[in-house]
Amino acid sequence: MAISDDSSGAETPFLEEDGIDGCVDYKGRPIEGTNCGGWKSASFIIGVEIGERFAYCGIDSNLVTYLTGPLGQSTATAAVSVNAWSGTAALLPLLGAFIADSFLGRYRTIFVASLIYILGLSLLTLSAALPSLNTYGCQKADTSILCLSPELQVMIFFFSLYLVAFGQCGHKPCVQAFGADQFNAQDLDEFKAKSSFFNWWYFGLCSGTLISFLVLNYIQDNLSWVLGFGIPCIIMVVALIVFLCGTTTYRYSVKRYEKSPFLRIGQVFVLAVRNWRTSSVAAQKEAHGTLTSASSKQYKFLNKASLAPDSSKEHGKVCSIEEVEEAKAVLRLVPIWTTCLVYAVVLAQSSTFFTKQGATMDRSITASVKIPAASLQSFISLTIVLSIPIYDCIFVPLARTWTGKPAGMTMLQRIGTGMFLSSISMILAALVEMKRLKTIQEYGLVDKPEVTVPMSVWWLVPQYVVIGLSEMLTMVGLQEFFYDQVPNELRSIGLALYLSIFGVGSLFSGFLISAIDKATGGNGRESWFPNNLNKAHLYSFYWLLAALSALELALYLYFAKKYIYK
């Protein structure tokens, strides 16, 4: 089977007229009509994402509980550990996307990454299954049973955890880009379908997440961590099988250029710096009408890469106008990327401090049944699952007739609306936390962290719901934006850049927590994040994030207004 992917330009020439948007089928043949790709192929890929998100969120959503429970870390340390892992898992896709776009192609990268993912989950399950020397069961077992020292068990656990992150690095950006590749942007109907694909992709993602929250968190809290880690491993095996079943239906992109897109774009910046003193290059080009007026007005210094200092056209010394425009398209993403970082910090709290808050509150459904604290995150997924069909099937068609835009509103408008809602969620979180602390003081529970606070956990639901609405708008908008606004051969990188927002945001969240913990603690003072959450100042942290979110939104609106679409 001769699969031709976006890195296999040597195997199959670029098809400019005979193929659909430079695509071939699994045998490397030109695609005619709708015999490949479209919703049929996208359905397999969305199915893969449901399985992958089920597996990933089964680890991520309750990780803080495992770290503060079986592994015995403090609350602040566990929050930093979770943020560090989440940040790494979101930054590594830059590496996976580079490998996919430059060497292996998306299909092969997904396959290899899935195998690594499964290996990491297998070792994670093993680390939870093997008894530790400090457990009662290990102390009483005969010497033939393998028992691990606590330090070795922690090492195996974190090695496995980061192996999962490494597996995700090739899986996450490539699966979504490969799914969007199944639609031809040059066809109006498929263009609309591609915009819809991002909505339904996120619907599938959140469906897998929701099931994980409801099922796996209960298993982990009430039955077994071994099962709680083992089931995601089995699901990832099934997801890989589903992906392979769609092999013959997929469209595979082919390369347009022999030169790597990274080299092409990098050369633009190098030559622009080298030609820094060459004046009037942009003016000369504009006079000949070779640069579009809108693009030439932004980042004019890059226009200098299109002429050599001596105006000669030596081979390899001059960049084409198309290459300059590619570099500008990437550079335009930087302000948008930067002004979304605080949004990522806000989202990081739902799997750390929100979960710890919920663990202190009354989570009873009946006298014998309690909601696992981590399962409260299911309200985010549930909100998204319910709102996406309404958004895609009702709001978009209505907005389309009003604005005339295929997606109803622009990608940047969608992103900005979600960012506004994220700041509202922090205000709600701060108000609810102040209510929780007031209840604690009224009942004299400040020094009794083991006693359940007589305040229903349902008070937390509004902040989860608002975050869910925010994600539905901003996350999907960012995915489509970073896929659409990069050069065609860098679409895996584009989605990896989108993911890196949340990687850097998670790392920044961890840094912020550590810095505040040190600054507010010491000398006999309680920090904002003590192990006893009854003495915590989480509300102050939430107010800080709300203020940062408002500042971020103002900057975002400034840069979004100046943005020129590709």
Side-chain angles (χ1 to χ4, degrees):
M1 181 171 64
I3 294 175
S4 196
D5 206 340
D6 54 336
S7 69
S8 54
E11 297 177 20
T12 308
F14 174 59
L15 304 171
E16 181 140 10
E17 296 179 355
D18 298 330
I20 295 179
D21 196 28
C23 294
V24 295
D25 67 8
Y26 76 106
K27 289 186 176 180
R29 300 172 301 193
I31 296 172
E32 297 179 1
T34 57
N35 58 322
C36 288
W39 280 112
K40 177 176 64 176
S41 300
S43 298
F44 282 104
I45 297 169
I46 290 174
V48 171
E49 182 63 11
I50 293 173
E52 190 275 333
R53 282 296 90 183
F54 177 90
Y56 179 83
C57 290
I59 308 301
D60 177 68
S61 63
N62 214 17
L63 184 57
V64 69
T65 304
Y66 189 80
L67 293 175
T68 55
L71 293 192
Q73 291 189 349
S74 68
T75 300
T77 301
V80 171
S81 297
V82 172
N83 285 323
W85 178 71
S86 298
T88 303
L91 281 174
L92 279 175
L94 287 169
L95 172 63
F98 171 77
I99 293 171
D101 285 348
S102 298
F103 304 107
L104 290 181
R106 291 174 191 133
Y107 179 91
R108 296 183 182 90
T109 302
I110 294 167
F111 177 74
V112 172
S114 296
L115 295 178
I116 296 173
Y117 211 131
I118 291 167
L119 176 61
L121 290 171
S122 300
L123 292 175
L124 199 65
T125 306
L126 181 64
S127 73
L130 291 175
S132 170
L133 289 174
N134 64 351
T135 64
Y136 177 82
C138 190
Q139 293 168 358
K140 293 297 182 181
D142 66 55
T143 55
S144 65
I145 295 179
L146 175 61
C147 293
L148 303 178
S149 67
E151 295 80 10
L152 181 58
Q153 189 173 33
V154 169
M155 288 176 61
I156 294 175
F157 174 79
F158 277 103
F159 172 78
S160 308
L161 196 63
Y162 279 88
L163 193 60
V164 170
F166 190 72
Q168 190 197 223
C169 89
H171 197 280
K172 189 64 178 170
C174 296
V175 171
Q176 189 174 10
F178 193 56
D181 287 345
Q182 306 309 308
F183 300 93
N184 179 18
Q186 305 305 315
D187 180 273
L188 181 59
D189 290 336
E190 289 202 26
F191 178 79
K192 291 179 180 178
K194 185 175 77 171
S195 181
S196 184
F197 164 78
F198 284 98
N199 288 323
W200 291 104
W201 162 273
Y202 210 67
F203 176 87
L205 180 153
C206 292
S207 297
T209 302
L210 178 60
I211 297 169
S212 180
F213 287 152
L214 295 176
V215 176
L216 284 183
N217 291 162
Y218 180 83
I219 291 173
Q220 291 165 349
D221 283 0
N222 299 282
L223 298 179
S224 165
W225 283 101
V226 177
L227 273 178
F229 291 151
I231 293 174
C233 181
I234 296 170
I235 294 299
M236 268 306 299
V237 173
V238 174
L240 177 58
I241 294 171
V242 169
F243 176 72
L244 294 176
C245 287
T247 297
T248 59
T249 74
Y250 299 142
R251 293 176 184 174
Y252 301 87
S253 300
V254 292
K255 290 181 69 174
R256 294 183 59 185
Y257 307 97
E258 292 183 5
K259 190 190 298 183
S260 163
F262 294 94
L263 292 177
R264 294 200 313 273
I265 292 172
Q267 186 179 40
V268 172
F269 288 97
V270 171
L271 289 181
V273 172
R274 185 180 299 171
N275 298 342
W276 186 260
R277 298 193 178 190
T278 304
S279 62
S280 72
V281 175
Q284 293 175 32
K285 289 296 179 181
E286 287 175 1
H288 289 84
T290 54
L291 281 175
T292 60
S293 58
S295 62
S296 62
K297 290 177 181 178
Q298 275 195 320
Y299 309 120
K300 288 185 178 181
F301 71 94
L302 290 180
N303 296 342
K304 297 184 178 183
S306 61
L307 280 185
D310 58 358
S311 298
S312 64
K313 297 284 186 179
E314 298 177 37
H315 179 68
K317 299 296 183 180
V318 174
C319 294
S320 68
I321 298 303
E322 185 179 3
E323 289 171 340
V324 172
E325 291 303 306
E326 284 182 342
K328 287 184 178 182
V330 172
L331 192 58
R332 287 190 195 102
L333 299 176
V334 174
I336 304 300
W337 185 93
T338 304
T339 52
C340 289
L341 290 176
V342 175
Y343 175 79
V345 175
V346 169
L347 274 126
Q349 309 317 312
S350 63
S351 61
T352 53
F353 288 132
F354 282 17
T355 300
K356 295 301 291 183
Q357 270 181 287
T360 69
M361 300 168 74
D362 182 8
R363 296 176 282 116
S364 300
I365 298 178
T366 67
S368 58
V369 178
K370 287 186 176 181
I371 304 172
S375 291
L376 292 168
Q377 296 171 71
S378 63
F379 286 104
I380 297 176
S381 301
L382 183 61
T383 301
I384 296 170
V385 167
L386 293 176
S387 61
I388 281 181
I390 296 172
Y391 179 87
D392 193 70
C393 300
I394 299 176
F395 174 80
V396 170
L398 289 175
R400 188 182 291 152
T401 59
W402 182 40
T403 64
K405 301 182 185 300
M409 60 178 171
T410 68
M411 293 174 278
L412 291 176
Q413 287 172 341
R414 180 173 184 170
I415 294 166
T417 305
M419 290 170 66
F420 170 75
L421 290 176
S422 73
S423 63
I424 299 299
S425 72
M426 284 295 98
I427 293 174
L428 290 174
L431 293 174
V432 171
E433 176 62 7
M434 291 170 71
K435 166 69 175 173
R436 189 184 74 92
L437 292 179
K438 184 178 179 181
T439 303
I440 288 170
Q441 291 175 348
E442 288 176 353
Y443 285 84
L445 301 177
V446 174
D447 295 313
K448 300 177 181 178
E450 71 284 354
V451 178
T452 300
V453 178
M455 177 180 173
S456 175
V457 77
W458 300 114
W459 278 88
L460 296 176
V461 171
Q463 65 201 56
Y464 281 107
V465 170
V466 175
I467 280 188
L469 290 172
S470 171
E471 279 198 39
M472 185 274 293
L473 293 166
T474 298
M475 297 284 274
V476 179
L478 283 171
Q479 290 168 9
E480 186 175 1
F481 179 79
F482 278 90
Y483 174 86
D484 186 73
Q485 295 299 300
V486 296
N488 292 349
E489 291 183 46
L490 286 178
R491 282 172 168 169
S492 297
I493 285 290
L495 289 170
L497 283 172
Y498 140 75
L499 289 168
S500 71
I501 292 173
F502 301 94
V504 174
S506 291
L507 294 175
F508 181 63
S509 176
F511 168 79
L512 196 60
I513 291 169
S514 294
I516 292 173
D517 189 47
K518 290 180 180 178
T520 58
N523 297 324
R525 297 175 300 167
E526 289 281 1
S527 79
W528 282 11
F529 315 114
N531 289 334
N532 180 1
L533 284 189
N534 293 352
K535 297 181 178 181
H537 292 264
L538 292 182
Y539 67 92
S540 299
F541 184 56
Y542 294 152
W543 283 120
L544 174 63
L545 292 183
L548 291 175
S549 295
L551 176 61
E552 173 197 51
L553 181 59
L555 290 172
Y556 171 83
L557 292 175
Y558 172 79
F559 288 113
K561 187 177 181 180
K562 289 180 170 291
Y563 186 82
I564 297 175
Y565 281 92
K566 172 184 166 184

